[in-house]
């Protein structure tokens, strides 16, 4: 009995251990490939990444630097999330044709809509250049000088590494400065909008359902890449032709079942999986609570106004969603870190690490690392918290202050770069702030200001605050600024910025709102930033050494480099999870669930009439699974922000889903991945095809794709 239990335990550890991690596609041979095959993968590492023949990586471009997309037809059709295409969809919308509300479908190629400043970037090759970048660095003792030399070396390799005229070289660091990789890339600049569902499908459930499972969002949109006559990247021209990809993903109509193999490829932005326990404690106990409290206050004010006034609701919907997204993520992250005992797990690891250092006789090199971390994290904490207060209150969540902060930077541009640079930036600001003021409501922001500035004065570390902010009469201060400052309306703002630098700066400094921002920013730059930067530089150096030590002392561990917006592969299985006692979440949702959530007229949960009709008639075409229409599913793939729009493929590399979120209980995976509750959320491709074909009547797009039946061979 005992033996069987042990075996079972080993088995559980084994299968769990095979999950998590964001791996470099060119380095999958060996351990990863073996794990993937054990999980059910039928293709090889060479099918995923190769420089000699087309491979999966050729179908997965970075979408405008922040999201991921995938090529799904031989004519350059690409798929990404609705929330990734949101700006493009919004830019083409007006009151006459509101594509956010109604959706948009180009019925022929001539109708596809060009987008200024929208690019997609393919990876041509991945090359290790560590030796070149670290050349001559070890001899330098000063950390700042080291960094300078590294930068110089990076510029040198970038300039000399062979590439074609239409390609670019980019060097990125991995394992916190222990490895450097050069990417040869191709960036296409003519990317046109092909289709998007109405927001009631693409954003169904909106903020209430954001980060939440069970989920029923059709979070997708489609674009097409155009190239010049040689199939090379170029800027927009009506003579450009649809791009012929090196590879495109076939789409599976057979869908998924629990325990099926899944792999997600994309561009995850940032993770911090190798922090010491001190850093995680700082996040859980100090910085996350402060940031959450600030956003909580701002969101409550905005929500109060939005519920009472429809015009304000429209003005603030997108801003609200932006602020709420990470607010909600941090709450989930903190809870998950506590519940999974992440700090305790890290502390245990650190004990083991310390022991390993001694066993390996490496005390000189690594013996003091953890003690040094402890000392520096204690020292940096008040500065880190102050930095977050400044950033959340001034730079991000109070509109008057964030506008004032842009002007503060303008004043600094004058001081460092002179009149011409000042004028260029000023003109840009005048132009760009027109949109800002369209969605600005003075009454809303005034209330936000009053709340946030009080939090700043009462809760941020006092020793770094200007005296004027501690125990101030926040109400009086607020009324004074919002009645006197010119930063509250576009016309006044323009008068403030008219004239040459001398007169503008004079007017600015006489403005009550600006003067207030300036006092906060000057104070921050004097009392917080320099010390923060100084300690942070030390922590960065420690983290690099800690990473090096882990790679050396744990040669057989599954250590992957933290996400850094470069192409990665993560794999796992379709899998439900138990979010709390006595509850198990199934891994697949269906259209029936959309109808269960349906609230007529609600801005988050209304359902388009046509979709209700299709549901009532069970008119699902070839996209149903046993009479039901799948909508979303979850898996154990390790993803983060930036993986939005990433393809989820099956064991043979066919597209089965489109990644767009994670489950709330597992958002801590950026810091501590726990395979028992961390799940990524994907739209089922059959729902995407159903919406395109049956709902939008854009069957010609489905006809462009290669539909396959891998399970019915
Ligand atoms: N949580 C997802 C991500 O981090 C989706 C965000 C967009 N949706 C929203 N309701 N704000 O980007
Ligand atoms: N929605 C996120 C994005 O825009 C992906 C969700 C996550 O953070 O995992 O990239």
């Amino acid at each position: 009995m005992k033996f069987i239990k042990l075996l079972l335990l080993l088995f559980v550890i084994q299968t769990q251990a095979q999950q998590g991690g964001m791996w470099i596609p060119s380095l999958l041979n060996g351990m990863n490939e073996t794990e993937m095959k054990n999980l059910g993968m039928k293709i090889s590492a060479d099918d995923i990444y190769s420089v000699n023949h087309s491979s999966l990586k050729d179908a997965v471009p970075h979408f405008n630097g922040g999201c991921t997309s995938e090529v799904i037809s031989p004519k350059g059709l690409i798929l990404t999330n609705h929330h990734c295409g949101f700006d493009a969809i919004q830019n083409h919308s007006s009151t006459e044709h509101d594509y956010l509300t109604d959706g948009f479908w180009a019925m022929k190629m001539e109708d596809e809509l060009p987008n200024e400043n929208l690019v997609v970037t393919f990876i041509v090759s991945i090359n290790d250049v560590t030796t070149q970048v670290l050349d001559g660095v070890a001899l330098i003792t000063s950390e700042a000088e080291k960094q300078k030399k590294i930068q110089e070396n990076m510029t040198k390799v970038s300039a000399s590494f062979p590439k074609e005229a239409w390609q670019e070289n980019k060097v990125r660091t991995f394992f916190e400065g222990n490895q450097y990789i050069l990417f040869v890339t191709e960036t296409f600049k003519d990317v046109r909008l092909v289709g998007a569902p109405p927001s009631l499908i693409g954003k169904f459930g909106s903020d209430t359902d954001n980060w939440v499972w069970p989920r029923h969002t059709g979070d997708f949109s489609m674009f097409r890449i155009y190239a010049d006559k040689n199939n090379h990247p170029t800027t927009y021209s009506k003579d450009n032709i649809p791009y012929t990809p090196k590879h495109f993903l076939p789409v599976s109509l057979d869908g998924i079942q629990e325990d099926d193999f899944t792999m997600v490829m994309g561009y995850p932005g940032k993770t911090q999986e190798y922090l010491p326990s001190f850093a995680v404690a700082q996040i859980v106990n100090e910085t996350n609570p402060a940031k959450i409290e600030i956003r909580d206050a701002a969101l409550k004010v905005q929500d109060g106004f939005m519920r009472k006034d429809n015009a304000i609701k429209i003005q603030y919907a997108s801003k609200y969603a932006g602020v709420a997204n990470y607010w909600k993520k941090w709450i989930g992250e903190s809870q998950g870190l506590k519940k999974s005992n992440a700090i305790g797990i890290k502390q245990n690891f650190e004990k083991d690490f310390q022991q390993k250092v001694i066993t390996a006789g490496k005390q000189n090199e690594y013996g003091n690392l953890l003690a040094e971390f402890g000392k520096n994290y204690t020292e940096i904490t008040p500065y880190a918290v102050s930095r977050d207060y400044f950033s959340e209150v001034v730079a991000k969540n109070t509109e008057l202050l964030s506008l004032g902060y842009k002007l503060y930077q303008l004043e600094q541009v004058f001081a460092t770069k002179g009149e011409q640079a000042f004028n260029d930036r000023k003109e840009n600001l005048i132009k760009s702030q027109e949109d800002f003021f369209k969605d600005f409501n003075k009454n809303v922001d005034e209330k936000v200001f009053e709340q946030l500035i009080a939090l700043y004065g009462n809760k941020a570390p006092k020793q770094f605050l200007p005296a004027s902010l501690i125990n101030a009469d926040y109400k009086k201060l607020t009324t004074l600024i919002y009645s006197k400052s010119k930063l509250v309306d576009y016309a006044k703002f323009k008068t403030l910025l008219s004239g040459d630098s001398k007169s503008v700066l004079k007017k600015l400094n006489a403005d009550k709102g600006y003067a207030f921002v300036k006092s906060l920013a000057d104070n921050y730059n004097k009392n917080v930033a320099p010390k923060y930067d100084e300690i942070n530089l030390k922590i960065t150096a420690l983290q690099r050494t800690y990473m090096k030590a882990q790679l050396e002392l744990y040669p057989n561990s599954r250590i992957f480099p933290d996400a850094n917006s470069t192409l990665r592969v993560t794999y796992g299985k379709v899998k439900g999870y138990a979010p709390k006692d006595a509850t198990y979440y199934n891994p697949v949702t269906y259209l029936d669930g959309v109808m269960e959530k349906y609230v007529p007229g609600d801005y988050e949960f209304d359902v388009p009439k046509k979709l209700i009709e299709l549901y009532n008639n069970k008119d699902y075409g070839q996209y149903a699974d046993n009479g039901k229409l799948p909508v979303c599913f979850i898996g154990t793939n390790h993803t983060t922000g930036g993986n939005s729009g990433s393809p989820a493929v099956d064991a043979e590399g066919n597209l089965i889903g489109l990644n767009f979120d994670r489950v709330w209980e597992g958002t801590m995976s950026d810091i501590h991945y726990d395979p028992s509750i961390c799940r990524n959320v994907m739209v089922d491709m059959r729902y995407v095809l159903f919406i395109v074909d049956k709902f939008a009547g854009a069957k010609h797009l489905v006809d462009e794709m290669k539909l396959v039946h891998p399970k019915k061979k």
Side-chain angles (χ1 to χ4, degrees):
M1 188 62 195
K2 251 226 173 101
F3 178 69
I4 291 182
K5 255 194 192 154
L6 194 73
L7 253 183
L8 218 64
L9 192 73
L10 268 175
F11 179 74
V12 170
I13 291 173
Q14 275 270 312
T15 49
Q16 291 196 342
Q18 288 171 347
Q19 296 172 30
M22 304 171 174
W23 308 94
I24 303 173
S26 54
L27 304 174
L28 298 173
N29 286 308
M31 185 266 291
N32 292 125
E33 190 176 27
T34 308
E35 282 184 1
M36 292 162 99
K37 292 212 156 137
N38 286 342
L39 286 166
M41 184 174 79
K42 303 216 177 69
I43 55 176
S44 69
D46 198 48
D47 296 323
I48 298 169
Y49 175 89
S50 168
V51 278
N52 303 318
H53 54 82
S54 67
S55 53
L56 284 187
K57 72 119 169 71
D58 297 316
V60 187
H62 209 173
F63 187 82
N64 219 24
C67 283
T68 304
S69 53
E70 52 277 1
V71 189
I72 52 171
S73 94
K75 291 184 226 160
L77 187 65
I78 57 172
L79 181 67
T80 189
N81 288 146
H82 185 265
H83 77 263
C84 297
F86 196 86
D87 281 344
I89 306 166
Q90 185 171 42
N91 283 339
H92 289 295
S93 295
S94 64
T95 35
E96 295 90 67
H97 40 83
D98 181 352
Y99 300 144
L100 280 177
T101 306
D102 305 327
F104 167 79
W105 299 96
M107 289 302 163
K108 45 188 191 317
M109 282 191 186
E110 298 85 80
D111 297 340
E112 297 175 354
L113 302 171
N115 300 285
E116 238 180 288
N117 305 323
L118 177 62
V119 302
V120 301
T121 302
F122 288 89
I123 304 295
V124 178
S125 68
I126 303 179
N127 313 277
D128 194 307
V129 292
T130 312
T131 324
Q132 292 95 309
V133 173
L134 293 183
D135 184 36
V137 172
L139 304 169
I140 305 172
T141 44
S142 138
E143 182 59 28
E145 288 298 313
K146 254 191 197 173
Q147 292 309 323
K148 207 172 124 214
K149 177 78 181 166
I150 289 174
Q151 282 305 324
E152 282 168 21
N153 286 348
M154 275 165 65
T155 312
K156 222 161 68 190
V157 230
S158 280
S160 60
F161 199 88
K163 67 167 185 67
E164 304 292 345
W166 61 88
Q167 300 174 334
E168 282 108 44
N169 290 337
K170 290 179 208 158
V171 180
R172 294 282 179 271
T173 175
F174 291 72
F175 294 114
E176 353 247 355
N178 286 288
Q179 186 179 18
Y180 289 85
I181 289 181
L182 181 143
F183 296 84
V184 180
T185 63
E186 283 181 3
T187 296
F188 288 80
K189 301 183 182 78
D190 185 355
V191 181
R192 304 185 196 168
L193 177 62
V194 174
S199 291
L200 288 179
I201 291 172
K203 221 179 130 83
F204 182 74
S206 195
D207 291 305
T208 302
D209 268 10
N210 191 22
W211 300 111
V212 166
W213 185 256
R215 190 65 157 277
H216 298 86
T217 313
D219 196 345
F220 78 94
S221 59
M222 286 178 181
F223 290 80
R224 192 186 304 281
I225 305 171
Y226 283 78
D228 69 13
K229 301 243 146 41
N230 300 315
N231 206 35
H232 294 156
T234 182
T235 48
Y236 172 78
S237 153
K238 65 173 183 17
D239 301 327
N240 288 345
I241 52 168
Y243 170 65
T244 306
K246 290 185 205 136
H247 183 69
F248 66 91
L249 301 179
V251 183
S252 165
L253 279 176
D254 291 349
I256 43 83
Q257 273 176 318
E258 189 146 20
D259 290 323
D260 276 358
F261 171 82
T262 58
M263 175 181 114
V264 172
M265 207 164 180
Y267 299 81
K270 184 182 174 193
T271 58
Q272 299 174 285
E273 312 283 347
Y274 305 98
L275 292 176
S277 57
F278 316 99
V280 181
Q282 185 191 81
I283 293 169
V284 174
N285 301 326
E286 309 281 346
T287 50
N288 268 5
K291 293 190 291 188
I292 291 165
E293 187 178 20
I294 294 164
R295 291 201 176 192
D296 204 42
L299 289 167
K300 279 206 179 95
V301 172
Q302 293 181 353
D303 184 62
F305 280 94
M306 286 163 74
R307 279 179 195 282
K308 277 187 280 189
D309 185 328
N310 202 44
I312 294 180
K313 202 187 84 191
I314 294 168
Q315 279 184 313
Y316 278 76
S318 169
K319 280 186 269 193
Y320 184 93
V323 176
N325 192 32
Y326 266 68
W327 164 78
K328 199 164 177 181
K329 191 212 138 178
W330 291 325
I331 298 176
E333 180 175 273
S334 286
Q335 287 186 7
L337 288 171
K338 283 185 202 152
K339 195 171 168 189
S340 66
N341 188 28
I343 297 173
I345 292 173
K346 294 258 177 200
Q347 284 166 340
N348 283 340
F349 173 77
E350 286 158 13
K351 277 192 205 124
D352 186 69
F353 175 83
Q354 206 63 24
Q355 201 49 54
K356 276 228 162 42
V357 170
I358 295 168
T359 317
K362 295 262 178 173
Q363 287 101 313
N364 276 347
E365 251 179 287
Y366 305 134
N368 282 330
L369 262 180
L370 290 166
E372 280 293 309
F373 265 130
K375 194 176 119 241
N376 280 288
Y377 271 103
T378 305
E379 210 186 327
I380 205 172
T381 295
Y383 296 96
V385 175
S386 300
R387 186 170 177 265
D388 279 341
Y389 269 96
F390 181 77
S391 147
E392 287 290 313
V393 173
V394 180
K396 290 188 185 142
N397 294 309
T398 312
E399 292 170 275
L400 180 139
L401 293 178
S402 61
L403 178 62
Y405 191 57
K406 290 196 181 111
L407 297 171
Y408 178 79
Q409 290 167 323
L410 175 71
E411 181 163 4
Q412 298 199 314
V413 163
F414 177 72
T416 53
K417 295 193 181 134
E419 182 86 23
Q420 185 59 47
F422 174 87
N423 280 329
D424 293 347
R425 188 150 176 154
K426 188 189 85 170
E427 288 311 318
N428 273 337
L429 262 178
I430 295 177
K431 248 194 258 140
S432 64
Q433 295 315 298
E434 187 173 356
D435 278 348
F436 165 83
F437 278 107
K438 263 189 217 140
D439 288 338
F440 176 79
N441 181 297
K442 182 177 162 226
N443 298 333
V444 177
D445 195 51
E446 183 168 349
K447 270 275 167 272
V448 171
F449 179 100
E450 191 186 325
Q451 300 272 324
L452 265 48
I453 218 67
L455 278 176
Y456 197 4
N458 291 326
K459 301 261 177 112
K462 296 261 184 306
Q463 64 272 39
F464 309 128
L465 286 180
S468 60
L469 198 61
I470 303 171
N471 297 325
D473 184 337
Y474 300 112
K475 185 145 188 79
K476 221 164 111 193
L477 181 70
T478 306
T479 312
L480 177 75
I481 287 178
Y482 281 77
S483 61
K484 291 273 162 49
S485 174
K486 293 197 163 49
L487 301 180
V488 294
D489 120 3
Y490 193 44
K492 288 183 187 162
F493 175 75
K494 281 193 289 192
T495 60
L496 198 59
L497 289 193
S498 72
D500 61 7
S501 60
K502 205 167 145 218
S503 76
V504 171
L505 290 178
K506 192 161 160 227
K507 281 186 279 180
L508 271 182
N509 282 285
D511 185 273
K512 288 267 182 277
Y514 183 75
F516 182 65
V517 176
K518 191 168 171 176
S519 74
L520 295 180
D522 277 346
N523 180 79
Y524 172 78
N525 285 337
K526 182 162 154 274
N527 293 330
V528 180
K531 192 74 188 170
Y532 176 88
D533 291 344
E534 182 196 316
I535 309 171
N536 195 43
L537 195 65
K538 285 191 217 158
I539 289 181
T540 308
L542 287 173
Q543 189 69 44
R544 184 176 62 225
T545 311
Y546 190 36
M547 196 70 245
K548 176 166 175 273
Q550 291 181 52
L551 288 166
E552 253 172 56
L553 300 176
Y554 297 84
N556 298 320
S557 281
R558 298 173 83 258
I559 302 183
F560 60 94
D562 269 319
N564 58 358
S565 293
T566 62
L567 185 60
R568 302 295 178 92
V569 165
T570 173
Y571 47 86
K573 288 178 167 201
V574 176
K575 199 103 205 129
Y577 71 108
K580 51 181 182 251
D581 190 31
T583 309
Y584 186 78
Y585 283 155
N586 289 333
V588 183
T589 60
Y590 296 92
L591 192 58
D592 309 64
V594 172
M595 295 312 296
E596 282 172 11
K597 286 179 177 173
Y598 172 41
V599 181
D602 185 73
Y603 83 103
E604 295 189 307
F605 292 104
D606 201 357
V607 177
K609 237 174 76 205
K610 176 91 185 273
L611 189 56
I612 300 178
E613 268 168 41
L614 291 164
Y615 171 75
N616 287 338
N617 298 331
K618 303 283 169 282
D619 186 2
Y620 302 150
Q622 58 183 335
Y623 311 113
D625 192 345
N626 287 318
K628 298 202 335 174
L629 185 70
V631 174
C632 295
F633 66 101
I634 51 176
T636 58
N637 308 289
H638 190 176
T639 55
T640 186
N643 271 122
S644 275
S646 296
V649 301
D650 66 7
E652 294 171 29
N654 304 306
L655 187 61
I656 47 174
L658 176 63
N659 184 74
F660 71 101
D661 212 356
R662 273 175 289 165
V663 305
W664 201 56
E665 296 83 359
T667 48
M668 77 218 187
S669 65
D670 290 345
I671 294 164
H672 174 65
Y673 181 86
D674 179 342
S676 69
I677 54 167
C678 291
R679 298 287 178 273
N680 70 313
V681 183
M682 298 153 276
V683 196
D684 194 301
M685 275 314 288
R686 290 168 297 179
Y687 191 53
V688 171
L689 297 181
F690 163 82
I691 294 295
V692 173
D693 176 353
K694 291 280 174 177
F695 177 84
K699 177 90 188 329
H700 63 286
L701 294 173
V702 177
D703 293 340
E704 234 186 278
M705 305 172 200
K706 181 177 168 193
L707 304 184
V708 294
H709 280 288
K711 291 189 180 175
K712 293 188 191 140
K713 272 189 288 206

